[in-house]
Amino acid sequence: MLRPFVCALSLLLLAAGNVTAGKLSSTDSITWGGDNSRSGYQPTHNMDPSVVGSAQFGQLWKTVLPGNYKGYTEQIYSQSLIYTLNDGIQYVFVSTTQNNVYKINAKTGAIVASRNLHVPFLTADLDGCVDINPTIGVTATGVIDPDTDTWYLTAKTYLDQNDQIKGRLNGRYYFHAIDVNTLAEKPGFPRGLEGTIGSNNANRMFQGGNAHQRPALLHTGQYIYAGFASHCVQYNFTGWIMGWDKTSGEIVERFTTEAGPEPNTVPGGGVWMSGGGIATDGKGSMYFSTGNGYSSQLAGTPVPGRQPPTALEEAAVNMKINDDGSLKVVDFFMPWEKVQLDGADKDLGTTPLELLQPDVFTCPNAKRMGVVTGKSGKTYILNLDNLGGYQIGPNKLDAVPQVIQNENSVYAGAGVYPLEGGYIYINVIQYPTHVYKFSCDASGNPSFTKVGDSPEKNAYILGVGHGTTTSLNGQAGTGLLWVSDVDGYNLRVYSAIPVNGQLQLIKTANVAGITKFTRPVFGDGRAYLGTVQGALYCFGSPVNLPLTCTSPNDFGSVVINSTSKTRTIQCQANVDTQVTSITIKSSNFQISSLPTLPFSLTNGQNISFQALFAPSAPGPLSNDVLLATTNSIAGFSNSVPVSLKGVGDSLAPLLAVTPNVVSFQGVITGQEAGGRDQSIIFDNQGDGVLTIKGLDYSIISETGALVTPNNTANGPQVGPFTFKGLPTTIPGNSQVVVNINFNPSQSGNFAVYVHVRTDGGTKIFDVVGTAGTSPVAVLEFQAADGSGKWIPYTNNNPPFTFGNVFEQHTKILKMRLTNNGSSSAGSLSVTVSKPPFGVSGIVGAQNGVDLAEGVILEAGKSATADLYCSVPKSQVNTDSYNGSAVWTMNTGDPKFGKQFIQFTCNAVAEQVGPLYPNGSAIYRYDGCWRENNPGRQLKVQLWGQGHDNTNGLCISACANSGFTYAGTQYVNECWCGNKIPNLQSNETDCNYACTSDETETCGGNGYFHDGAFISLFTNRPGLDDPTPPSPPAVVKSVGNYNYTACYTEGSSGRSLGAKNTGSDEMTVQICAAFCTGYTYFGIEYASECYCDNAIGVGSKPTAASDCSMTCSGNDTQICGAGNRLTLYTLNGQSGSSSSVSASTTGSSASSVPSSVLSSATGPVAVPTAGAFVYQGCYTEGTNSRALAATATASGDMTVEKCATFCAGYTYMGVEYSSECYCANTLGDGAVLTSDGCSMTCGGNPNEFCGGGNRLNIYKAGAKSTVLSSTVSVSTTALSVSSISSSPSPSATGPVAVPTAGAFVYQGCYTEGTNSRALAATATASGDMTVEKCATFCAGYIYMGVEYSSECYCANTLGDGAVSTSDGCSMTCGGNPNEFCGGGNRLNIYKAGVASLTSSKVSGSNTATGFFNSVRDPIINFIGTLGGQNSWKFFVHRLLL
């Protein structure tokens, strides 16, 4: 989101206090449409047709706005405003849907200042209404008050400005007053609207989340006014007019268009007008139009305009603006078919009520006029002093001056050109722009006659803009019509007066993403257009002319086919230039006495030529002489226009008939009482009186046989056509409007061809019309089963459905609308269409074009739209879910009504593993969970590197082993367990594809690569599953092994001593697999597994309850206890009590010489070993091992060997003659005892190595609790060869590699707490080695290996990554002789530090340093101290 900022100049101005008001220029545009009439006629912006039509007029710049809220492109729906400040610079003021406001240099396009007002409101909170998408902020055009330099506007946002709490009903509207100099808020602003109660109805309350402020704001006097509706005719779309005091911000009016006794849930009367502005005549009256509604208070009861209803729906409204800013309704107009328009959603209020210039558009019976057009396609010419009420005309029709029926809906306000007799322009969607010429008929009523069309059709979909016209300072013949459109050429400029019934296109431009319903905004010779792609475009031409010429040159009236006097045209050079050509393209003007070209001029020098007027046609005529130049200075135009104009005069009468074709289309037989009217103009373009000699009619062709009309009171009638007001004479230079009525009594096609014979010539015009029965709308949807059938719409009972669609698949089906009326049926129009295009969710429309508003279907014709259900990738074994969308639609079928068409789709994921009979998986996906949090979350790994892996394979394997949870991780790992992990994470954190199916997800390393994550499945779905886990029990059988009993340990050795292993993930199944081939296996201490072919001496069955520990890898299984084994026998054989002597081929090479113990008789407890000092004989723990961190066992165990293995730990212990245990703490219940440590070491019979359930325990760096901490030995007896630095050629088993490349080993480290220990980059492979990782991480400071196959690099260690003494016990996938970290543990290396193998210790003596253990960086120093002939052992823990 754009952050608020202002430029340095703005800050200085703000600091200086109040700023002098700007210099309002005639070329500024400070309100919508240029002025408060909203007619869009703008004569003061230096728009010369000869310049606009030249090659030099084009795009000058394009400024892309930087707003990027949540990655969305900024959109401009409100019109820009143009204003010149006190610095003399003209600026463009832009507001956007992201609630950003900008101040932009109008000449250069540079953003001078910007500010964010609020977080924007999200379209996602509008239940599928995506007319404006994805944000709604400022969507209405504001207004600038030049007296105070204040820019007023409204903005939609949320109550919560921390951008957290959303939801429609949390939406809010604010009224802003912004200083145009600094973009800072004026004191006392903004003002909120939420909860405002209607001034005319206490039962209506304003709710910003439901409301939408689309119409342009109105500034009149001391007050600012804004109109409101809702979104997509949803929610309570009651209209509001809000008014504020512009200085204080106090609300002065809160008028609601629904003020009757109806329940406040009845909506209607929204004020939106396609973004057009509320109008005022500047004399105390306000005018606007409203949309449909459902109060329908009048419902067929005629009501005069001066007796307005309290529900102003489908209405044109006149309100008096009182001195205190409050409003009072004084007049209204409502179409006679109001109820029918409501049913078809044919809003009258799709366009603003525009005020026509009263000095031009005036007739005896209607001195002031307005124009409004709606979705019905009807253009209403209204008498502003008597709007017309409801059904008070003949036959309960409209009592308005004129109703013009267009072919289709209209959303654009009329273009108005008040010169050359007066014209209006109606932009009909999917049809050409129609041109209507103004006149007054013989009865003194206004009449607008169609005299032309644009050659191009307007867009097929909504969006053609409001009509806009310009002239060059009010000069006749300089009029231009500007049309913006979302299709075809996005900007089209026409000469305002049609030629031979067609507008002449002089300029086009493409503007990507142009905003619908927009109109160009004008500055000084420039036009500005905003887009929904966040760009502001500027069109214009170089403003500097190299010549100043006498212009315009008016020749006055000249009789046609004669010539005027010549005029001298003189031009003076403004810079050194060369005139290369002087041309004019017109038969009505001639130029002569041209200088020899090219002609060079210096600054100040003159050039001249002659011109004359020779009209060949009557009426106003004009053209430009163009002087082409080559200039000495850049920045000057290469073309200089010189305007010539005159009036062609005919002394004799001269007939013209406009238009030459009158067409009635889409008439429903009998629907309109009295039929439908259009008009035609008989124009006498000569000075003499025109006499009409007669009219001839044919119903065959223009040259066909004539028929005699029926003479009626209204005029001659031919078939269904009646000609009203036919003149007999027409005065010179005058015109008469002839009305033609089409009132068919039956359906069909009709035509009449009329010859008008006069003394001023004969003209022919054609009148055609079609009438039919009512259209019938039939809506269908393709069957989901692919059968090709069409399912008819049945009011969503049931909804249209896509059926089942699998994840990562898309199904596209069509909806079809058919006009199923009879062969003579009228056209079916789509009057409302809000497709689910661009909505969130899995169901939507492919585009917003198909079946859009304005689509017209002839009888028997169909149109389709594609809808899709697109189900995103999801994990297997997820529940199916429904997606849905709604398409709001209404048509011209009076029986169809507004429909909210529902579409549903059942999104289905693949089901794997064990299945229920209905095909759904027993193990449901339970989400993405964080691993190593702390430690392994699922304890049992079934497979890993190099193994085929899918979620189905893993789930099945875990299910077969009786686990509650199954999880996949790191692409190829399968884990099982019975406890749910600690922390669920976002789905995006699981981002690895499974090895055997890339469409499935098998864990991940986090969206931000900040950890390990596991894809979890369970047969107990839901964190709050009410089903408790099964209580722990003895597994009765596994494979070929059967449970035997709970056994004690042996009296003089292990009960099962041939083979053993230990694991934090131990289960009965894992131990059975480990002991395959042995007769017996047993599990002890929850995590230890033992095998043998015979049961040791003294081991015997005991009470089953003695075996009470659950397996470390499955808490539903029993795995022995302290000194107790859960024992299994192959094929159910009973256990033997015979003793089995284990082979003890241990080495006699002790690391401590035998002379150390020479004074002892028989085996002794070794007092020290390495850094460890003897602490005594201890019992095992009560619920866990006394020393539980790590362990090893071998037949040649010695105390020294165990000390080497446990280097880096605080405690070590030997037990059962062959077992070695390490830890940093003693387990609960492990206590000092006086007996039981009686077994000798397997590798040295002179040393004690614990006993049954007893350990000889040693502690590093401590004083002995039994003997002196120092043991003196003969120096000649000491040998250090048995302790070597790692790796040593004589070392057996894996080691921590001391160096690799530039990296030196630092120790075993934990992972970080909130991120990876090494988070910069990573790689993984099945053949990982320390050296391979070092190569990958070259250039980084740290590298680390983890989980045998992963390599991480960084320049810093992550928070929480600390040195630890255990856990780095996994060997590298590419070298089993190297350690590569462990679970949540890394062997970490650092570049550029000294190797530990060459470390020195300063002191009085030099000590030799070497690695003591592959498990942690330990240095043992052995040397002579104080010159004494004795040896002492010291250990120094290296802290890096």
Side-chain angles (χ1 to χ4, degrees):
M1 181 174 66
L2 183 72
R3 293 299 175 195
F5 75 94
V6 293
C7 67
L9 174 61
S10 297
L11 290 173
L12 290 172
L13 292 173
L14 182 62
N18 293 330
V19 182
T20 304
K23 299 178 179 179
L24 179 65
S25 166
S26 62
T27 61
D28 289 342
S29 295
I30 59 173
T31 191
W32 187 86
D35 61 33
N36 284 342
S37 75
R38 309 308 192 186
S39 69
Y41 171 60
Q42 301 179 68
T44 63
H45 296 277
N46 297 319
M47 286 297 173
D48 189 331
S50 62
V51 175
V52 175
S54 72
Q56 294 183 71
F57 190 92
Q59 180 180 320
L60 296 181
W61 50 259
K62 168 187 172 184
T63 296
V64 178
L65 304 181
N68 191 33
Y69 177 78
K70 294 187 181 295
Y72 297 137
T73 299
E74 203 152 19
Q75 296 180 325
I76 306 172
Y77 272 85
S78 56
Q79 302 291 163
S80 301
L81 299 175
I82 315 297
Y83 184 50
T84 302
L85 293 181
N86 199 46
D87 58 9
I89 300 174
Q90 195 171 65
Y91 295 96
V92 186
F93 293 89
V94 180
S95 52
T96 76
T97 59
Q98 292 187 10
N99 281 329
N100 296 322
V101 292
Y102 297 90
K103 176 181 176 183
I104 298 173
N105 187 299
K107 186 174 182 179
T108 66
I111 297 175
V112 177
S114 68
R115 175 184 163 212
N116 176 255
L117 306 179
H118 310 279
V119 296
F121 186 89
L122 297 179
T123 304
D125 282 334
L126 294 179
D127 303 312
C129 175
V130 291
D131 279 357
I132 298 176
N133 189 32
T135 60
I136 298 172
V138 182
T139 57
T141 304
V143 62
I144 292 175
D145 177 11
D147 292 336
T148 61
D149 275 2
T150 305
W151 178 15
Y152 296 96
L153 53 82
T154 62
K156 185 161 186 171
T157 180
Y158 292 101
L159 175 63
D160 175 26
Q161 289 299 296
N162 292 319
D163 207 14
Q164 298 296 320
I165 302 173
K166 307 296 182 185
R168 173 169 52 86
L169 295 182
N170 290 312
R172 296 292 186 270
Y173 256 104
Y174 292 94
F175 174 60
H176 287 266
I178 298 171
D179 188 322
V180 293
N181 295 283
T182 64
L183 298 188
E185 202 76 33
K186 288 294 183 82
F189 292 87
R191 290 301 185 107
L193 285 175
E194 192 66 14
T196 300
I197 303 300
S199 60
N200 57 330
N201 188 346
N203 291 320
R204 299 277 177 167
M205 183 177 73
F206 183 88
Q207 292 180 291
N210 292 339
H212 188 201
Q213 209 274 291
R214 193 73 171 93
L217 275 64
L218 171 67
H219 171 214
T220 177
Q222 183 62 22
Y223 307 111
I224 310 292
Y225 296 93
F228 291 82
S230 186
H231 299 274
C232 293
V233 201
Q234 293 183 158
Y235 320 119
N236 194 326
F237 53 90
T238 296
W240 292 80
I241 300 291
M242 295 288 188
W244 298 268
D245 183 284
K246 71 176 186 179
T247 303
S248 67
E250 294 296 328
I251 296 178
V252 297
E253 184 55 277
R254 49 189 189 279
F255 178 87
T256 172
T257 57
E258 294 284 354
E262 297 81 14
N264 59 14
T265 55
V266 176
V271 184
W272 75 287
M273 303 188 296
S274 299
I278 301 170
T280 181
D281 59 4
K283 303 296 183 181
S285 285
M286 173 191 291
Y287 297 90
F288 60 89
S289 60
T290 68
N292 62 310
Y294 300 106
S295 292
S296 299
Q297 293 174 344
L298 306 183
T301 302
V303 175
R306 296 296 173 175
Q307 300 174 22
T310 55
L312 292 168
E313 305 162 343
E314 302 275 13
V317 183
N318 175 6
M319 303 184 82
K320 181 180 184 298
I321 305 172
N322 296 316
D323 291 343
D324 62 358
S326 62
L327 303 172
K328 177 179 175 58
V329 182
V330 295
D331 196 5
F332 84 103
F333 162 71
M334 193 177 287
W336 69 266
E337 68 270 49
K338 186 265 180 191
V339 175
Q340 292 90 329
L341 295 177
D342 286 338
D345 281 291
K346 292 184 176 181
D347 293 4
L348 173 67
T350 53
T351 72
L353 173 50
E354 299 179 16
L355 312 186
L356 305 181
Q357 287 76 2
D359 58 335
V360 175
F361 299 94
T362 185
C363 291
N365 295 335
K367 295 183 179 180
R368 303 192 313 140
M369 298 175 221
V371 58
V372 65
T373 309
K375 277 190 190 178
S376 68
K378 288 185 177 181
T379 296
Y380 297 91
I381 305 299
L382 301 179
N383 183 344
L384 294 179
D385 299 316
N386 182 11
L387 290 179
Y390 172 66
Q391 290 191 356
I392 61 172
N395 299 313
K396 297 178 67 174
L397 298 179
D398 300 322
V400 299
Q402 188 176 1
V403 180
I404 302 169
Q405 180 67 60
N406 300 291
E407 304 93 331
N408 207 345
S409 297
V410 176
Y411 291 77
V416 179
Y417 180 58
L419 303 180
E420 303 177 64
Y423 293 82
I424 64 171
Y425 308 84
I426 306 299
N427 295 334
V428 186
I429 61 173
Q430 299 183 6
Y431 284 86
T433 294
H434 299 321
V435 186
Y436 294 91
K437 180 172 173 48
F438 168 71
S439 62
C440 299
D441 66 17
S443 300
N445 296 314
S447 178
F448 288 82
T449 302
K450 183 181 172 188
V451 294
D453 290 315
S454 63
E456 297 80 19
K457 291 183 179 181
N458 296 309
Y460 183 83
I461 58 175
L462 294 189
V464 62
H466 300 273
T468 307
T469 60
T470 60
S471 70
L472 184 60
N473 300 315
Q475 299 176 35
T478 64
L480 296 175
L481 171 67
W482 302 71
V483 177
S484 63
D485 205 350
V486 296
D487 202 1
Y489 287 115
N490 305 119
L491 177 62
R492 304 190 290 269
V493 187
Y494 302 92
S495 295
I497 307 302
V499 177
N500 297 322
Q502 192 169 77
L503 289 170
Q504 305 300 301
L505 185 66
I506 68 166
K507 178 63 63 176
T508 61
N510 289 315
V511 180
I514 193 167
T515 308
K516 63 182 178 180
F517 310 144
T518 193
R519 71 190 328 174
V521 180
F522 299 97
D524 186 2
R526 300 186 176 206
Y528 303 89
L529 285 165
T531 74
V532 296
Q533 296 180 2
L536 179 69
Y537 286 78
C538 173
F539 293 89
S541 65
V543 296
N544 299 316
L545 293 176
L547 299 172
T548 300
C549 301
T550 52
S551 181
N553 298 280
D554 192 346
F555 291 89
S557 294
V558 177
V559 175
I560 58 175
N561 299 320
S562 64
T563 59
S564 69
K565 294 181 179 180
T566 60
R567 295 173 62 101
T568 299
I569 311 298
Q570 183 168 293
C571 301
Q572 186 177 64
N574 298 321
V575 294
D576 293 350
T577 187
Q578 184 181 70
V579 179
T580 56
S581 68
I582 304 175
T583 58
I584 187 170
K585 295 181 180 179
S586 172
S587 60
N588 295 310
F589 297 92
Q590 300 171 14
I591 55 176
S592 60
S593 301
L594 301 179
T596 302
L597 301 176
F599 189 89
S600 297
L601 296 94
T602 59
N603 188 3
Q605 188 176 358
N606 295 328
I607 186 175
S608 63
F609 58 92
Q610 303 291 316
L612 60 81
F613 179 38
S616 59
L621 300 169
S622 64
N623 213 303
D624 289 330
V625 179
L626 296 178
L627 286 77
T629 65
T630 301
N631 307 309
S632 60
I633 300 176
F636 284 79
S637 173
N638 293 320
S639 178
V640 179
V642 178
S643 177
L644 308 178
K645 66 178 182 178
V647 177
D649 187 19
S650 172
L651 299 177
L654 183 64
L655 175 67
V657 176
T658 308
N660 57 16
V661 177
V662 177
S663 177
F664 295 87
Q665 296 181 348
V667 175
I668 304 302
T669 306
Q671 185 182 71
E672 299 181 48
R676 184 180 295 178
D677 289 338
Q678 290 199 52
S679 61
I680 193 167
I681 296 175
F682 289 5
D683 189 3
N684 179 5
Q685 297 181 338
D687 295 339
V689 176
L690 177 75
T691 300
I692 298 178
K693 297 179 179 179
L695 281 80
D696 301 323
Y697 305 90
S698 172
I699 59 174
I700 298 175
S701 67
E702 291 184 353
T703 59
L706 302 179
V707 297
T708 301
N710 296 323
N711 291 316
T712 69
N714 292 322
Q717 180 181 18
V718 180
F721 303 104
T722 301
F723 299 85
K724 304 176 183 180
L726 287 170
T728 56
T729 61
I730 302 175
N733 297 307
S734 299
Q735 55 188 226
V736 172
V737 176
V738 177
N739 289 315
I740 306 171
N741 176 263
F742 180 52
N743 190 15
S745 59
Q746 60 184 18
S747 301
N749 298 318
F750 306 92
V752 61
Y753 308 91
V754 184
H755 294 242
V756 184
R757 293 180 285 106
T758 75
D759 59 356
T762 298
K763 296 293 182 180
I764 302 174
F765 67 91
D766 305 339
V767 184
V768 296
T770 60
T773 57
S774 293
V776 177
V778 173
L779 194 65
E780 302 164 296
F781 194 60
Q782 280 185 314
D785 59 8
S787 64
K789 295 179 180 179
W790 290 92
I791 309 300
Y793 176 65
T794 55
N795 295 317
N796 298 315
N797 188 22
F800 288 152
T801 180
F802 286 85
N804 292 337
V805 178
F806 285 97
E807 56 102 7
Q808 232 174 351
H809 285 76
T810 297
K811 181 185 287 188
I812 298 175
L813 296 176
K814 293 181 182 296
M815 181 172 69
R816 180 171 70 183
L817 178 66
T818 302
N819 182 351
N820 203 35
S822 66
S823 59
S824 62
S827 299
L828 177 70
S829 61
V830 178
T831 59
V832 170
S833 183
K834 306 296 181 185
F837 173 59
V839 300
S840 57
I842 63 174
V843 180
Q846 292 276 57
N847 57 57
V849 176
D850 297 333
L851 292 181
E853 289 180 17
V855 167
I856 294 178
L857 298 175
E858 303 300 326
K861 299 296 184 180
S862 299
T864 62
D866 288 344
L867 291 104
Y868 65 84
C869 176
S870 184
V871 181
K873 180 179 180 179
S874 64
Q875 188 57 281
V876 298
N877 292 8
T878 54
D879 294 337
S880 62
Y881 61 94
N882 281 320
S884 63
V886 174
W887 190 319
T888 304
M889 180 179 286
N890 207 341
T891 72
D893 177 357
K895 297 181 180 180
F896 189 77
K898 182 187 290 184
Q899 300 296 325
F900 300 92
I901 307 155
Q902 297 178 12
F903 302 87
T904 63
C905 177
N906 189 40
V908 178
E910 183 181 2
Q911 305 294 296
V912 298
L915 304 178
Y916 289 112
N918 64 2
S920 64
I922 295 174
Y923 279 74
R924 312 305 299 164
Y925 178 59
D926 205 30
C928 181
W929 295 73
R930 181 174 282 275
E931 254 294 2
N932 307 320
N933 190 41
R936 276 290 173 191
Q937 298 294 284
L938 299 184
K939 302 298 185 181
V940 180
Q941 183 178 15
L942 298 189
W943 59 72
Q945 183 69 36
H947 199 285
D948 289 340
N949 195 39
T950 66
N951 289 300
L953 291 172
C954 184
I955 291 169
S956 296
C958 291
N960 291 337
S961 297
F963 289 101
T964 299
Y965 294 96
T968 53
Q969 186 179 2
Y970 283 113
V971 180
N972 51 31
E973 297 177 8
C974 174
W975 296 81
C976 313
N978 288 302
K979 293 182 180 178
I980 193 167
N982 293 330
L983 181 63
Q984 189 168 9
S985 190
N986 295 323
E987 285 301 301
T988 53
D989 287 331
C990 285
N991 51 10
Y992 286 162
C994 302
T995 50
S996 302
D997 190 341
E998 63 182 13
T999 67
E1000 295 184 19
T1001 301
C1002 285
N1005 66 343
Y1007 183 82
F1008 296 105
H1009 312 294
D1010 58 351
F1013 298 88
I1014 190 166
S1015 299
L1016 188 70
F1017 300 83
T1018 179
N1019 59 10
R1020 291 170 46 214
L1023 289 176
D1024 299 320
D1025 188 349
T1027 306
S1030 301
V1034 172
V1035 176
K1036 296 301 182 183
S1037 63
V1038 55
N1040 294 323
Y1041 290 91
N1042 294 318
Y1043 172 67
T1044 304
C1046 178
Y1047 267 66
T1048 66
E1049 270 293 358
S1051 57
S1052 59
R1054 279 286 180 194
S1055 175
L1056 304 175
K1059 183 180 179 182
N1060 63 74
T1061 188
S1063 170
D1064 287 340
E1065 297 85 29
M1066 184 59 66
T1067 65
V1068 175
Q1069 289 82 0
I1070 289 176
C1071 188
F1074 177 77
C1075 293
T1076 299
Y1078 287 90
T1079 304
Y1080 303 99
F1081 78 83
I1083 314 155
E1084 184 174 351
Y1085 273 116
S1087 59
E1088 301 172 8
C1089 172
Y1090 298 90
C1091 326
D1092 212 325
N1093 289 316
I1095 298 175
V1097 174
S1099 177
K1100 58 186 178 180
T1102 186
S1105 59
D1106 285 0
C1107 290
S1108 57
M1109 288 186 176
T1110 59
C1111 299
S1112 58
N1114 187 339
D1115 58 7
T1116 67
Q1117 299 178 353
I1118 296 296
C1119 280
N1123 207 32
R1124 296 293 187 270
L1125 296 95
T1126 303
L1127 192 132
Y1128 291 80
T1129 306
L1130 182 64
N1131 296 320
Q1133 297 175 14
S1134 60
S1136 168
S1137 61
S1138 60
S1139 175
V1140 177
S1141 299
S1143 172
T1144 56
T1145 57
S1147 169
S1148 60
S1150 172
S1151 58
V1152 179
S1154 59
S1155 59
V1156 173
L1157 307 174
S1158 60
S1159 62
T1161 59
V1164 295
V1166 177
T1168 61
F1172 292 94
V1173 178
Y1174 184 55
Q1175 302 297 300
C1177 180
Y1178 276 70
T1179 65
E1180 272 289 4
T1182 52
N1183 294 311
S1184 65
R1185 279 288 183 188
L1187 303 177
T1190 189
T1192 186
S1194 69
D1196 58 348
M1197 182 58 64
T1198 65
V1199 174
E1200 293 77 13
K1201 187 171 185 177
C1202 185
T1204 301
F1205 177 77
C1206 291
Y1209 286 94
T1210 303
Y1211 294 96
M1212 60 155 272
V1214 280
E1215 184 175 2
Y1216 278 116
S1217 78
S1218 60
E1219 300 169 9
C1220 171
Y1221 296 89
C1222 322
N1224 287 319
T1225 58
L1226 285 175
D1228 292 341
V1231 295
L1232 190 66
T1233 183
S1234 59
D1235 62 351
C1237 291
S1238 55
M1239 289 185 177
T1240 58
C1241 298
N1244 188 342
N1246 295 317
E1247 300 176 356
F1248 282 121
C1249 278
N1253 203 32
R1254 294 293 188 272
L1255 298 93
N1256 289 109
I1257 284 186
Y1258 294 75
K1259 186 176 182 181
K1263 293 182 178 180
S1264 175
T1265 60
V1266 181
L1267 301 173
S1268 170
S1269 61
T1270 302
V1271 179
S1272 296
V1273 294
S1274 168
T1275 59
T1276 59
L1278 178 65
S1279 171
V1280 298
S1281 62
S1282 61
I1283 303 176
S1284 60
S1285 64
S1286 175
S1288 163
S1290 62
T1292 59
V1295 296
V1297 176
T1299 61
F1303 293 93
V1304 177
Y1305 184 56
Q1306 304 298 298
C1308 181
Y1309 275 69
T1310 66
E1311 272 289 2
T1313 50
N1314 295 312
S1315 65
R1316 282 283 187 193
L1318 303 177
T1321 189
T1323 186
S1325 70
D1327 59 349
M1328 182 58 64
T1329 64
V1330 175
E1331 293 76 11
K1332 186 172 185 177
C1333 184
T1335 300
F1336 177 78
C1337 293
Y1340 286 94
I1341 296 174
Y1342 292 97
M1343 61 155 270
V1345 280
E1346 183 173 2
Y1347 276 119
S1348 81
S1349 60
E1350 300 167 13
C1351 169
Y1352 297 89
C1353 324
N1355 288 320
T1356 58
L1357 283 176
D1359 292 342
V1362 296
S1363 178
T1364 181
S1365 59
D1366 62 346
C1368 291
S1369 56
M1370 289 186 178
T1371 58
C1372 299
N1375 187 343
N1377 293 318
E1378 299 177 356
F1379 280 119
C1380 277
N1384 203 34
R1385 295 294 188 272
L1386 299 92
N1387 290 107
I1388 284 185
Y1389 294 75
K1390 185 175 182 181
V1393 298
S1395 171
L1396 296 179
T1397 56
S1398 60
S1399 298
K1400 302 279 186 179
V1401 175
S1402 298
S1404 59
N1405 298 287
T1406 300
T1408 303
F1410 50 86
F1411 271 120
N1412 173 24
S1413 170
V1414 298
R1415 304 189 60 80
D1416 213 23
I1418 302 294
I1419 301 178
N1420 284 0
F1421 298 100
I1422 303 176
T1424 59
L1425 300 177
Q1428 297 177 4
N1429 191 20
S1430 63
W1431 287 92
K1432 294 185 179 180
F1433 292 96
F1434 296 91
V1435 64
H1436 175 67
R1437 175 89 166 117
L1438 182 64
L1439 300 178
L1440 296 175

